[in-house]
Each structure stands twice: as C-alpha cells, then as structure tokens.
Amino acid sequence: MPLKRRIPQLLIHLVFILFSLSCIIPLISVLSVSFSSEVDILKNGYSLFPRVFDLTAYAYVLYRPIQLLGAFKISILVSVIGTFLAVLAMAGIAYTLSRPDYKYKNKLSFYVFFTMLFNGGLVPTYILISNYLHLKNTIWVLILPYLAVPWFILLLRSFMQKIPFHIIESCMIDGASELRIFFQIILPLAKPGLATVALFTMLQYWNDWWLSLLYIEEERLVPLQYMLYRMMNNISFLTSSTNMMPPGLKNVELPSESARMAMAILAAGPMLAVFPFFQKYFVRGLTVGAVKG
C-alpha cells in the first residue's frame, strides 16, 4: 500500500492510541499513588510509578477486614438485586409507553417526564420512607428509591419503539399473552438497550452513599461507598485537628492522599471487572436502527 494511502489510517490509529493513553495513564497514576509513601507524595507530588513503595494506605483501609468484607457484601447484594428489579420494572414501564395502541401512553409519559423536573423534596421523602413505609435500617431502603429512574425509562421507551409493531400483532394473532410477548419477544430484541441501562443502574447502586447516610444506622447494613466515605472524613478530621490527636500520633503522617487513591481502587475495581461483559452490547446499541430493511 502506498504511503499516501496509509497516512490517514496511521493518523486514525495515532488518535485512538493517544485517547487510550489518556484513559489508562490516570488509572495507573491512581494505582501508583495508592502504593506510594505519604511523605514522598507531599514532598515530590504525584508520579506515574511509586518512588517510595509503601502499603500504609492499604493497611489503614484494610484495618478491619471483616467490616470491609461485610460492606462489600452489602454493596454487591444491593447492586445485583437492585439492578435486576430496576431493569425489570423500567422495561415494563417503557414497553407500555412504547405501545402505539395504549390509550394513556401520552399521559403516562408526561407523568414520568414530570418526575424528572420536580420531586417531593428531601424532608417529605425522608418522612415518607421512615415513618410511613418503615424502610429505615433495612436493605430495601438502598434499593427501592432507584427502582424506576425516569431518564432510563424514556431511553428504553425510545429503544423499544424501534421494534416493529407488526411483530407484536403477529404474536397476538397467534394467541400469545402480553406477558409472553414481553418476556419472550420484546426483552430479547431489546437486549442491547437493557444491557446499557443495566450497567448504568449498577453503577448508580454501587457508587451510592447518600441513601445509607440518610437511612442506615446499623453497622451490618453499611455499604462499601459509605464506609469509605466515613474513613475519608475521619482522616480529614484528624489531620485538621492535630491538637486533638494522642501525643504518640502527633508526629505520624496519616495516609491522606494515598488512602484516597487506595479507596478509589477498592471501590472501582469490581466495576472495572464488570464492564467488559457489557461492552459488546454497547456496540449493538449504537448500530441498532442504522441499517434499514
């Protein structure tokens, strides 16, 4: 192949290589800082590779492994159960809104859209969940508030509207029930959209610490993100209040920066492992509807 024809291809490869490096280098830097000495970070700044290898940050974060494993268990349980129930609920609502023969689809679509603009507020929501629904200090309080996200419902509705309605009509003529059409026809055809929404929903459940801050008081129900949030607050409080520290710890440098990065690695690790399983569905989701026929 002549060099003139190869130049555009090489430029495209170079752009993608630079873009990949811009995504990978920050991750390597975070990993490097988590294994670096706090004194070296404060003296010389961040580096791509540890200048002084130190495990103090991980020793601090993993000081109570039983408690950390319990927080991991709660986060995994909430993420898995919440994602399954949320995708099922949102797919059901989106399928109803995508049906052109549903008489109230416009009114229901407006109701879903309206909740994106306005909500009841923090205090009424807290009173409803705590005093009326009695969900405080239960695992369901970490699941139910995110069970139906309006933006994801409208996204799935747009995706399901691309499915030809004559397929549904053919199934109805053959005597298929609505539930059978939904589970055996619609859900398999909408798999790329469902996988995309499932990943974003799982990320929302996994990264959430706000609900546990409001409604969880029992240690056995504390998820990982809220536990790491409390650890970080404890470090910030101790480093800003040196006069309140015990005499033996006043000259000890707490792993503030390295602990932040160690917590980021522990929190993001499972999601980095899950993402490759959804990647092929993202490609399908981008190409669905691009080919007419």
Side-chain angles (χ1 to χ4, degrees):
M1 182 181 295
L3 182 61
K4 290 183 178 180
R5 294 184 179 180
R6 294 182 59 187
I7 289 178
Q9 187 177 7
L10 292 175
L11 289 175
I12 293 174
H13 289 170
L14 179 62
V15 169
F16 278 103
I17 289 173
L18 293 176
F19 178 75
S20 301
L21 289 175
S22 67
C23 297
I24 295 174
I25 289 177
L27 182 61
I28 297 176
S29 178
V30 169
L31 187 63
S32 171
V33 173
S34 69
F35 286 108
S36 298
S37 169
E38 184 72 18
V39 177
D40 182 72
I41 294 173
L42 297 176
K43 184 184 298 184
N44 301 313
Y46 295 163
S47 64
L48 195 59
F49 299 100
R51 287 183 291 264
V52 179
F53 190 81
D54 192 0
L55 295 176
T56 305
Y58 287 95
Y60 175 80
V61 175
L62 301 175
Y63 177 69
R64 295 181 178 177
I66 302 299
Q67 187 177 4
L68 186 67
L69 290 176
F72 259 110
K73 183 183 71 173
I74 294 297
S75 292
I76 293 173
L77 192 64
V78 168
S79 299
V80 172
I81 297 177
T83 300
F84 175 78
L85 295 178
V87 170
L88 187 62
M90 289 187 288
I93 300 173
Y95 171 61
T96 303
L97 297 178
S98 69
R99 288 281 294 263
D101 58 338
Y102 180 54
K103 183 168 62 173
Y104 301 105
K105 67 172 186 175
N106 292 331
K107 294 181 180 179
L108 186 58
S109 297
F110 175 77
Y111 176 78
V112 172
F113 176 73
F114 185 81
T115 59
M116 293 177 60
L117 305 177
F118 303 98
N119 57 48
L122 179 59
V123 175
T125 303
Y126 183 86
I127 293 174
L128 174 66
I129 291 177
S130 301
N131 297 345
Y132 290 93
L133 300 179
H134 303 289
L135 295 176
K136 191 174 181 179
N137 286 321
T138 64
I139 197 172
W140 294 106
V141 79
L142 303 176
I143 296 175
L144 295 181
Y146 298 141
L147 204 60
V149 180
W151 169 248
F152 293 155
I153 292 174
L154 297 178
L155 183 67
L156 284 176
R157 183 203 63 175
S158 301
F159 191 90
M160 292 180 179
Q161 284 176 340
K162 297 178 182 179
I163 300 175
F165 184 64
H166 62 77
I167 296 177
I168 300 174
E169 291 180 323
S170 301
C171 296
M172 295 174 66
I173 293 173
D174 292 338
S177 64
E178 292 290 350
L179 287 177
R180 186 171 185 180
I181 294 173
F182 176 67
F183 284 104
Q184 296 188 359
I185 304 298
I186 300 301
L187 292 186
L189 291 176
K191 191 181 294 184
L194 294 175
T196 303
V197 171
L199 179 61
F200 288 130
T201 304
M202 184 175 291
L203 287 172
Q204 186 175 30
Y205 277 115
W206 181 264
N207 293 326
D208 179 70
W209 55 269
W210 175 246
L211 292 178
S212 51
L213 175 65
L214 291 177
Y215 304 111
I216 298 299
E217 296 176 354
E218 299 183 7
E219 288 294 327
R220 62 183 182 87
L221 295 176
V222 172
L224 178 66
Q225 300 294 341
Y226 182 49
M227 180 182 175
L228 298 181
Y229 169 79
R230 292 194 307 186
M231 284 184 177
M232 202 66 253
N233 281 348
N234 292 338
I235 291 178
S236 300
F237 176 75
L238 290 175
T239 53
S240 62
S241 305
T242 55
N243 58 332
M244 299 181 64
M245 294 178 63
L249 295 178
K250 287 187 176 181
N251 296 325
V252 176
E253 190 68 43
L254 292 176
S256 177
E257 296 298 326
S258 57
R260 284 191 179 96
M261 302 307 173
M263 293 174 187
I265 294 297
L266 291 176
M271 290 297 103
L272 293 176
V274 167
F275 179 78
F277 295 99
F278 290 86
Q279 186 176 5
K280 60 179 181 180
Y281 296 109
F282 281 112
V283 177
R284 290 187 193 176
L286 292 174
T287 57
V288 164
V291 180
K292 297 181 179 180

